[in-house]
Amino acid sequence: MARDLWIVLCKEWRELRSSDSGWVTLSTLLAFLAIVGGFVPWQLGRVWIDGPWVALIWAWMPMFLVTTVTADSVAGERERRTLETLLATRLSDSAILWGKWLAGVTWIWCAMALCLPIGILTVNLTVEGGPYLPTLGQAAGVLAVAFTGGGLGAAAGVVVSMRAESVRHAQQVLAIGVLLLVLVPVGVLRLLPRRWTLGLVDMLAYGSPARLAWGLAALLLLLGLPVLAVARTRFRRGRIPLS
Amino acid sequence: MEEPHIGPIGIGAADGEGSERGAPSRIAIRTWGLTHDFPGVRALDELDLSVPRGSIFGFLGRNGAGKTTTLRVLLGLITPTAGQALVLGHDPRTESVHIRRRCGVLLEHSGLLERLTALDNLDLYGRIFRLPRAVRQARSEELLRRIGLWERREDPVHGWSRGMRQRLAIARALIHRPSLIFLDEPTAGLDPVSAQDVREDLLRLAARERVTVFLTTHNLAEAERLCDRVAVVRRGRLLSTGAPDEIGARYTRPQIRVRGEGFSENVLSLLAERPEVHAVERENRGALVSLADEARVSSLVTFLVRIGVGLEEVSPVGSSLEDGVLSLFRDEDAPVRAAG
């Protein structure tokens, strides 16, 4: 199983790498690093390092971005008529599913992980009075948030893409879903007692960045596991629409 | 529907290797009453099939006849509603992984990863089928050279013609030396030259690899050229099975071609009225004559000479698969048309 999963993972990575000509892929990656690793930390300054709420960016960004990868990996493969050929091999349903899921998550996570040192460097170069460095727990926390956020997004991506009519359809549904993940909590926040709301705002503004990051990672993991279970149940030969 | 024999070691009838199940068999695929329903549509209707090992077996039918569905059921990609099947001795319901391990496929679309090169495509499927690196490399080179694509091995597939892709997809299906390959309309949409290239590659590779080929097509001429045996399906139901020439002979009347001087309209009318004749069709300097059952050609020749025809040639016309299948479809359509 592990070897098959690795084969699918490598296949997905290879397809992602060769999705456009080499320089387009490279320039897209550089643009992503420049914006998320350079521009955003430059705009936020010190807050990028010690602002507890920044963990929310680390959750939302990979969750949003990974959906495009998994939509292409599942709905795109069906659209390109390569999924059925893959299903007609000896690979198990699980190896294909986990390979695709992990490919999306690791792709985005690696890009986010690269943004961490670049962001730290940017803040220290643009803000006086440094050095500004996150604690080890905080750095590990935001990376965990990026992984679990990406994991949740990728799992949702697989579930939606399996039934979607096209890649575009899958991406539209997923984009709305990710948007709702932001808007719904904001709406719920307004319905909560004022004391609770203030407590939350206080935690996001002045709480421990490391604790908040790890708490958020745990929450995303809790949300992601049932979605993964649904993906596992549905991603079976005989249940996947082939055309 | 013939019931399968259930023995102490399972269902012994279709075993590609001949010894895995203890019962030696020359049958690669066997189905009994295989049925599959989609919502509101019966795609397969009690299909009984028997595909000899080592043969090129043509599965013929019009679009929507259930060819692709059969293939998907046999590969375990969808579960049949009823009936049973054995592919290389394995039940697609419960042992589909064993089937897929020993089968190669070229489905309706080539299924090639177009962003990757030809070599990468073959290498990926070689890895999937657990071939060691050295074997993968040697096998990829061997197959690509045999289909004449070795020079293009580093090119991404997306710029290739459909014919080249189909040939590469056949090579991919053979990468792990399968016992059986499923080909779903491999020449559909190809120009005649590319289709001929694909057919030649297929024949050469199948003979060399000694693989059983299960080929779905609606191209009857192609099936006649390629296949040892064929099955004709319509609306998921098996109409007939046998060697292509048997099907041709079984469902068409014997025909002769007569040529010479003096085949006027009057002569053709007189000919059509003879008891030995079922139908007459005018041809250049002669006629194609469909004979009635038990007809004697000699009496017909005597008659033609007697009425003044200068006969130059009388030759039997072999029944083609196409004639047989078209006749079969016409017979099947007749009750439908009559009811309508």
Side-chain angles (χ1 to χ4, degrees):
Chain A
M1 163 77 178
R3 195 168 150 191
D4 289 344
L5 191 151
W6 178 246
I7 290 169
V8 178
L9 181 73
C10 291
K11 168 203 164 277
E12 295 294 329
W13 270 63
R14 198 151 194 183
E15 279 210 280
L16 279 168
R17 272 207 329 263
S18 50
S19 57
D20 296 296
S21 56
W23 69 271
V24 174
T25 309
L26 186 67
S27 53
T28 307
L29 180 67
L30 289 176
F32 175 80
L33 294 177
I35 293 167
V36 183
F39 182 74
V40 176
W42 174 48
Q43 290 299 303
L44 291 177
R46 256 188 79 173
V47 178
W48 176 256
I49 305 283
D50 55 22
W53 64 270
V54 172
L56 294 174
I57 295 178
W58 283 86
W60 187 81
M61 195 73 78
M63 203 187 304
F64 177 66
L65 293 173
V66 80
T67 55
T68 59
V69 178
T70 45
D72 184 75
S73 172
V74 179
E77 270 225 82
R78 197 175 57 232
E79 216 169 69
R80 293 189 294 274
R81 311 284 188 152
T82 52
L83 184 62
E84 193 174 3
T85 304
L86 194 65
L87 291 169
T89 64
R90 50 163 288 283
L91 293 173
S92 66
D93 297 330
S94 302
I96 298 173
L97 168 67
W98 297 125
K100 284 180 176 293
W101 177 80
L102 206 57
V105 177
T106 49
W107 181 259
I108 294 302
W109 187 84
C110 287
M112 291 300 291
L114 275 175
C115 291
L116 184 63
I118 296 171
I120 294 168
L121 191 67
T122 306
V123 171
N124 280 283
L125 288 174
T126 54
V127 180
E128 289 179 0
Y132 304 104
L133 292 169
T135 63
L136 197 61
Q138 192 186 341
V142 290
L143 291 178
V145 167
F147 189 86
T148 50
L152 172 61
V158 171
V159 171
V160 170
S161 301
M162 264 190 289
R163 302 273 161 188
E165 289 159 16
S166 61
V167 185
R168 184 176 289 184
H169 180 219
Q171 285 174 343
Q172 284 168 347
V173 172
L174 288 163
I176 291 168
V178 174
L179 206 62
L180 285 176
L181 264 177
V182 176
L183 296 178
V184 169
V186 170
V188 169
L189 214 60
R190 296 174 71 93
L191 299 174
L192 290 175
R194 190 173 162 72
R195 194 162 56 86
W196 289 17
T197 313
L198 285 175
L200 265 172
V201 171
D202 191 52
M203 188 175 70
L204 286 171
Y206 307 109
S208 155
R211 276 175 62 185
L212 193 79
W214 281 105
L216 190 58
L219 177 69
L220 290 169
L221 184 68
L222 280 177
L223 290 172
L225 285 176
V227 185
L228 267 177
V230 171
R232 177 72 194 84
T233 312
R234 290 192 183 171
F235 198 94
R236 287 181 197 281
R237 289 172 173 92
R239 295 196 68 176
I240 305 168
L242 295 173
S243 54
Chain B
M1 176 185 132
E2 184 192 341
E3 284 299 322
H5 163 69
I6 314 283
I9 49 160
I11 306 164
D15 188 335
E17 296 301 326
S19 59
E20 277 179 23
R21 294 263 170 154
S25 172
R26 303 282 304 154
I27 304 299
I29 300 173
R30 187 85 198 260
T31 70
W32 296 270
L34 203 62
T35 302
H36 188 75
D37 294 329
F38 290 114
V41 185
R42 173 151 288 193
L44 294 184
D45 192 0
E46 302 210 344
L47 189 70
D48 293 335
L49 269 187
S50 182
V51 178
R53 191 175 180 226
S55 64
I56 299 184
F57 188 88
F59 197 53
L60 316 179
R62 297 174 185 175
N63 292 334
K67 302 187 295 291
T68 301
T69 303
T70 305
L71 212 139
R72 286 174 174 167
V73 168
L74 295 176
L75 281 165
L77 299 180
I78 53 176
T79 310
T81 312
Q84 272 186 306
L86 281 180
V87 181
L88 302 172
H90 300 286
D91 185 342
R93 279 179 210 264
T94 53
E95 302 171 308
S96 62
V97 68
H98 298 294
I99 295 170
R100 291 193 295 268
R101 191 173 284 152
R102 294 171 56 199
C103 289
V105 296
L106 162 54
L107 300 169
E108 207 173 347
H109 297 266
S110 70
L112 294 166
L113 302 170
E114 303 213 339
R115 298 165 183 171
L116 305 188
T117 65
L119 213 49
D120 287 342
N121 266 283
L122 294 187
D123 188 69
L124 170 68
Y125 278 82
R127 287 184 70 195
I128 287 175
F129 286 101
R130 297 273 175 93
L131 302 183
R133 181 193 291 265
V135 176
R136 288 200 308 268
Q137 287 172 346
R139 183 78 174 137
S140 298
E141 182 175 347
E142 180 196 354
L143 288 167
L144 285 173
R145 282 193 189 282
R146 246 187 255 159
I147 57 170
L149 292 174
W150 176 245
E151 303 303 321
R152 305 288 304 269
R153 64 189 179 278
E154 298 293 353
D155 294 352
V157 175
H158 64 75
W160 286 18
S161 70
R162 189 168 153 77
M164 287 164 70
R165 287 183 212 188
Q166 292 298 86
R167 282 153 61 203
L168 179 62
I170 291 173
R172 182 202 58 207
L174 291 166
I175 188 85
H176 57 300
R177 296 188 189 280
S179 310
L180 168 65
I181 57 170
F182 290 98
L183 304 174
D184 196 1
E185 312 216 2
T187 59
L190 296 184
D191 63 78
V193 177
S194 303
Q196 182 58 24
D197 286 347
V198 170
R199 276 194 287 269
E200 280 173 10
D201 281 338
L202 179 61
L203 274 176
R204 206 170 42 239
L205 292 170
R208 194 181 167 97
E209 310 269 331
R210 291 181 198 148
V211 65
T212 307
V213 179
F214 186 90
L215 169 88
T216 77
T217 182
H218 53 231
N219 184 335
L220 301 173
E222 174 177 281
E224 186 154 33
R225 231 171 292 170
L226 288 177
C227 300
D228 308 314
R229 289 184 71 78
V230 296
V232 186
V233 282
R234 185 173 179 274
R235 294 179 186 160
R237 200 159 54 80
L238 181 70
L239 296 185
S240 187
T241 185
D245 54 345
E246 282 171 20
I247 302 262
R250 200 179 300 162
Y251 298 100
T252 52
R253 293 176 182 280
Q255 289 181 316
I256 56 167
R257 176 163 284 123
V258 285
R259 284 212 172 115
E261 297 294 333
F263 279 98
S264 61
E265 287 300 326
N266 187 35
V267 166
L268 293 181
S269 304
L270 289 170
L271 194 58
E273 285 166 12
R274 296 285 301 175
E276 301 96 330
V277 174
H278 176 73
V280 177
E281 199 178 311
R282 171 177 276 288
E283 282 191 338
N284 184 28
R285 297 188 66 244
L288 185 68
V289 183
S290 293
L291 301 172
D293 297 333
E294 309 292 326
R296 289 181 58 199
V297 178
S298 57
S299 63
L300 211 57
V301 171
T302 310
F303 168 73
L304 285 171
V305 171
R306 206 175 61 228
I307 62 172
V309 173
L311 265 185
E312 291 169 7
E313 181 189 335
V314 179
S315 54
V317 177
S319 304
S320 69
L321 175 67
E322 187 165 356
D323 294 333
V325 171
L326 291 178
S327 167
L328 191 56
F329 282 152
R330 270 196 295 272
D331 291 349
E332 282 289 313
D333 281 337
V336 178
R337 276 202 300 267

